[in-house]
């Protein structure tokens, strides 16, 4: 609970740190990308802090290559 | 304009000097005090014990001999601490009577351990504790324990190797044990009183006992040998009903207790391997949450235990390089933790003492309902359904992958 | 240009060498010994050779689009939308994932061997803060730092080898080729993939080198030096501790460092040796993160990249925790990751080169015709 709030506080601090520079130079696309990434990052962090089971992309990679890998190990034996 | 003339001529200097003089006069009164006591008028007590002796209380105090402790040379034949005891109708009286034997007045602020004798604990500890909480000298940073099957006096007259002041040793060892071995409960005075007073939680105290021959332990010889014939040992958790000791939790049940009440910091858990042998994991993080609920007018409790562990020891042929093995192990340990918790609850129910604080949890979630059953909680607790959910995650396995004996020929 | 830094060929060599050593130095000897046993060193040599063999592919691809990074010329080859998509996918699946993995490596190492009670996130965050500082400063400062650190790295490494060499038992590599070449090659292929195929990410750095004609040479030497370090460590592990122990240990290099004992006086200095891998992992991680951030910015045609470092950093931390639920997971993933690395590090660049060649022919023709048109119509 508190860690999630701390995370939001950190995100707000980052916002305050980086956004003004972008706003001043009127880099709107950059600003939007920044908001998107910061939001994603904060949401993911809070999810992790609340012990939500996030999917692991490596499992997908493992699943995709497993047949090939199994063939390879059998060839080696 | 006229008042400024007072300061004007003789100058600010005059006022300054008057102020300085005033301060000096006051200092004389401030520096001294009525309640001063020099260090060499004090007998610093590190261990304090109360026992039942007939109709009276017997109080034992373990006092430090600073000369013996501070010296770097191996000491003379004197022991580093001394014990004094006295009897009295109240605890306070007994302590004052002790001044007939102590060369100095006992100073309690450095107290490390407070031991309650077994017999007295069974009768009720409230009287003994009142002095502790009321006296201004006493702080709340000492640990409290019950002398299991012994008197406090016997515990406090024990020689300990490695640590010159036995009470210090007891304190430190309880500290370390609490942090790295689950089944101990390091209790301080304020927590104890809070639990005693609370309707929804019963108190527990850790038990301290002597392994080996207690007689031998009181001799200096105990620390002159490499393998001492007697040791002080923390053993089990004592369960209280109100302020009376009613039973003990064994090691497994104590682990369960620590787990449920979220006081477990680190411990070792063993599980059998499918083909014989054992696997041991070291718990590195453990958190548990307790929730009280009321369903259909009946109370219920839920405990969620979340544990992270590393593999500490493998005594069978396991292939740790497969994630499936790890998952299987995680399930095994979840079962074991759950069983420990269930056993602890069963024991507590058989002693009719809610030591976990489920009552408190129900109070927190549903105060109105709690008010209706709190006077009957002891009996309600016996029928309380508790749902336990355990989640174990095994992270690392130390510095080697599979155990080397996987390659040994059987 | 997002980052106007220029780097010298020597700096490129150094960073490649440090990158190769990177996190591999911690775990490669164990892996090789598991599959090739006492012939692990032969595996290592083979892999280095293979890693070098693919260099020409990268050089050719890089030279086709001088002054452009991989993320940028991806669009030229595949068209704007496909190029951006493939580029983002590549960045996420390769450098970004490798960065998470490297971070996790140092975190795991610290919590396994040195500070077991520390929560791993703390180590990740602190390490990453320094990485982010480096990335924000730009490529040149990173390279210069690498240049400064490199001699110390070499010094520590050479000391390590010298100190451990009295304990070599040559019989540990006998009998040679006991299992034939099969296990040796078998172990070698995944090793080639990780870390050698990862060299592909350097395609993002090529434009910054101040002498583009010497890039190939810089890469070559970088791989040779890095590969040599890995080879020596593997060799030393097997020679001193034997193949069985090396295979069983998760961090054989650290165990090896623990064994250093000279004249009963120079002992227990494994902490000092661990500094070696701190350096190498730091530079590998910094470079990978830099590439990820710059690539991301280029794919989206952004004009600035520094603001991305912190939000992507948060995502990286989450990713690095997520990427492996426990140590066993990576044991199983070793071969599959290697295949993934080959796909993205070899197959993809090859495909890109092929497509670029086909397109190039068409474009060259068009350019030739327009050039000849200009020639026949001079402006005066």
């Amino acid at each position: 609970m508190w860690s999630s709030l701390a995370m939001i506080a950190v995100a707000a601090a980052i916002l305050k740190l980086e956004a003004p520079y972008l706003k001043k130079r009127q880099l709107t696309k950059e600003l939007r990308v920044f908001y998107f990434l910061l939001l994603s990052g904060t949401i993911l962090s809070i999810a992790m802090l609340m012990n939500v089971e996030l999917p692991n992309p490596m499992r997908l990679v493992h699943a995709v290559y497993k047949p090939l890998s199994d063939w390879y190990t059998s060839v080696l034996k | 304009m006229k008042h400024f003339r007072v300061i004007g001529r003789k100058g600010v200097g005059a006022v300054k000097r008057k102020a300085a003089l005033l301060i000096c006069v006051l200092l004389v009164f401030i520096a001294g005090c009525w309640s001063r006591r020099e260090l060499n008028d004090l007998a610093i007590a590190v261990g304090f014990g109360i026992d039942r002796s007939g109709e009276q209380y017997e109080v034992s105090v373990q006092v430090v001999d600073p000369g013996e402790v501070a010296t770097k040379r191996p000491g003379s034949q004197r022991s580093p601490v001394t014990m004094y005891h006295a009897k009295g109708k109240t605890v306070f009286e007994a302590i004052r009577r002790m001044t007939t034997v102590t060369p100095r007045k006992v100073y309690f602020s450095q107290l490390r351990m407070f031991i309650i004798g077994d017999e007295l604990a069974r009768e009720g500890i409230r009287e003994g504790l009142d002095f502790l909480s009321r006296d201004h000298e006493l702080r709340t940073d000492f640990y409290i324990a019950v002398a299991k099957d012994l008197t406090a006096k016997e515990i406090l007259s024990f020689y300990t190797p490695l640590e010159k002041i036995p009470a210090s040793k007891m304190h430190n060892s309880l500290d370390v044990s609490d942090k790295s071995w689950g089944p101990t409960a390091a209790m301080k005075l304020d927590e104890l009183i809070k639990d005693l007073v609370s309707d929804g939680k019963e108190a527990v105290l850790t038990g301290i006992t002597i392994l080996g021959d207690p007689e031998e332990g009181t001799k200096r010889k105990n620390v002159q040998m490499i393998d001492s014939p007697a040791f002080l040992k923390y053993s089990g958790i004592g369960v209280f009903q109100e302020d009376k000791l009613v039973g003990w939790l064994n090691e497994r049940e104590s682990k369960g207790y620590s787990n449920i009440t979220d006081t477990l910091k680190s411990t070792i858990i063993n599980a059998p391997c499918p083909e014989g042998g054992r696997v041991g994991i070291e718990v590195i993080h453990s958190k548990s949450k307790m929730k009280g609920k009321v369903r259909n007018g009946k109370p219920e409790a839920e405990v969620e235990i979340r544990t992270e562990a590393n593999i500490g020891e493998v005594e069978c042929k396991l292939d740790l390089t497969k994630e499936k093995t790890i998952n299987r192990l995680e399930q095994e340990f979840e079962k074991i933790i759950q069983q420990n918790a269930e056993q602890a609850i069963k024991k507590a129910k058989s002693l009719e003492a809610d030591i976990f604080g489920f009552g408190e949890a129900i109070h927190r979630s549903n105060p109105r309902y709690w008010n209706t059953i709190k006077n009957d909680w002891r009996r309600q607790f016996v029928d309380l359904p508790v749902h336990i959910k355990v989640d174990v995650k095994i992270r690392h396995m130390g510095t080697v992958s599979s155990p080397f004996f996987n390659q040994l020929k059987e | 240009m997002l980052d106007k830094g220029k780097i010298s060929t020597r700096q490129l060599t150094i960073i490649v060498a440090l990158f190769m050593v990177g996190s591999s130095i911690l775990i490669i000897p164990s892996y090789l010994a598991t599959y090739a046993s006492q012939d692990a060193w032969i595996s290592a040599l083979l892999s280095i050779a293979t890693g070098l063999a693919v260099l020409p592919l990268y050089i050719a691809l890089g030279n086709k689009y001088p002054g452009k990074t991989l993320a940028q010329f991806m669009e030229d080859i595949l068209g704007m939308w496909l190029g951006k998509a493939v580029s983002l996918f590549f960045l996420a699946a390769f450098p970004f994932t490798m960065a998470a993995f490297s971070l996790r490596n140092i975190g795991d190492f610290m919590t396994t061997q040195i500070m077991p009670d520390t929560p791993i996130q703390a180590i990740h965050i602190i390490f990453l803060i320094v990485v982010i500082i480096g990335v924000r400063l730009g490529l040149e400062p990173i390279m210069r730092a690498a240049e400064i650190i490199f001699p110390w790295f070499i010094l520590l490494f050479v000391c390590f080898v010298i100190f451990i060499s009295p304990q070599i038992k040559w019989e540990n590599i006998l009998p040679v080729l006991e299992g034939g070449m099969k296990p040796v090659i078998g172990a070698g292929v995944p090793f080639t993939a990780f870390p050698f195929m990862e060299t592909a990410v350097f395609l993002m750095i090529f434009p910054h080198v101040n002498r583009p004609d010497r890039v190939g040479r810089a890469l070559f030497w970088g791989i040779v030096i890095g590969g040599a370090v890995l080879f020596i460590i593997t060799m030393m592990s097997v020679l001193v501790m034997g193949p069985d122990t090396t295979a069983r240990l998760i961090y054989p290099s650290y165990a090896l460092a623990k064994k250093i004992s000279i004249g009963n006086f120079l002992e227990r200095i494994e902490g000092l040796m661990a500094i070696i891998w701190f350096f190498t992992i730091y530079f590998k991680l910094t470079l990978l993160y830099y590439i990820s951030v710059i690539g991301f910015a280029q794919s989206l045609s952004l004009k600035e990249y520094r603001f991305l470092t912190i939000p992507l950093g948060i995502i990286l931390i989450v990713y690095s925790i997520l990427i492996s639920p426990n140590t066993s997971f990576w044991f199983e993933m070793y071969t599959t990751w290697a295949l993934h690395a080959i796909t993205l590090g070899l197959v993809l660049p090859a495909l890109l080169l092929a497509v670029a060649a086909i397109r190039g022919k068409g474009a060259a023709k068009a350019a030739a015709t327009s050039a000849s048109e200009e020639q026949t119509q001079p402006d005066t």
Side-chain angles (χ1 to χ4, degrees), chain B residues 131-151:
Chain B
F131 167 73
L132 288 180
S133 64
R134 206 176 286 275
D135 190 278
H136 67 281
E137 261 175 27
L138 281 159
R139 303 152 53 97
T140 56
D141 59 357
F142 54 88
Y143 285 132
I144 309 181
V146 173
K148 192 170 175 191
D149 301 327
L150 291 168
T151 60

Side-chain angles (χ1 to χ4, degrees), chain C residues 192 264 313 348 360:
Chain C
T192 314
N264 265 339
L348 184 65

Side-chain angles (χ1 to χ4, degrees), chain C residues 283-296:
Chain C
F283 282 107
K284 178 169 183 179
L285 184 53
T286 304
L287 194 70
L288 284 171
Y289 192 53
Y290 175 79
I291 289 173
S292 308
V293 171
I294 292 276
F296 187 75

Side-chain angles (χ1 to χ4, degrees), chain B residues 320-323 326 394-404 407, chain C residues 108 111-113 244 247-251 325-329 331-332:
Chain B
L320 292 174
T321 61
K322 298 263 174 300
E323 205 192 344
I326 302 286
I394 297 182
R395 300 285 186 201
H396 296 304
M397 51 181 70
T399 59
V400 292
S401 47
S402 289
F404 62 86
Q407 292 171 295
Chain C
D108 270 345
T111 53
T112 303
Q113 298 273 170
D244 292 315
R248 230 180 316 113
L249 288 167
I250 300 182
Y251 300 113
N326 48 53
T327 318
S328 308
F329 182 68
F331 281 124
E332 290 195 49

Side-chain angles (χ1 to χ4, degrees), chain B residues 3 112 117 348:
Chain B
H3 350 274
R112 301 289 262 164

